[in-house]
Amino acid sequence: MEKSLVIIYTQNIRGDLALLPRLYTFIQQLQKEHEDERVLVDLGASCSDDIWHCRVTEGRSALLVLDAMGYQVVNVE
């Protein structure tokens, strides 16, 4: 039996934590629609030096949230 792989990806969140609750809801809806194997990936620019929490945590603040949201792969460069 053939199975498919669904890749759900984001990019350029740029530390906008206010965006993440809506994004999380949207991602959950996508995951419910696709019963096959799923991978949740962030392609980069999840934080920005212009945002205070990104600056203070050296870019790790958004990574903590993405981890809590269930991302399996995050580009940290």
Side-chain angles (χ1 to χ4, degrees):
M1 182 171 150
E2 186 175 308
K3 291 182 85 175
S4 62
L5 174 65
V6 176
I7 301 172
I8 302 171
Y9 67 92
T10 57
Q11 184 176 10
N12 292 324
I13 293 172
R14 300 205 179 276
D16 186 359
L17 298 181
L19 167 74
L20 295 180
R22 293 186 309 268
L23 179 62
Y24 182 64
T25 301
F26 180 67
I27 288 170
Q28 285 182 317
Q29 290 172 348
L30 287 175
Q31 289 178 335
K32 286 179 185 175
E33 292 173 12
H34 300 282
E35 307 252 339
D36 297 319
E37 188 69 29
R38 299 176 305 267
V39 177
L40 186 54
V41 178
D42 184 76
L43 299 177
S46 60
C47 250
S48 172
D49 288 338
D50 299 340
I51 307 297
W52 72 269
H53 59 82
C54 291
R55 191 171 47 253
V56 170
T57 64
E58 297 177 350
R60 291 186 301 270
S61 58
L63 298 178
L64 292 171
V65 178
L66 294 178
D67 182 45
M69 290 173 62
Y71 277 74
Q72 288 99 354
V73 180
V74 177
N75 181 356
V76 296
E77 289 191 44

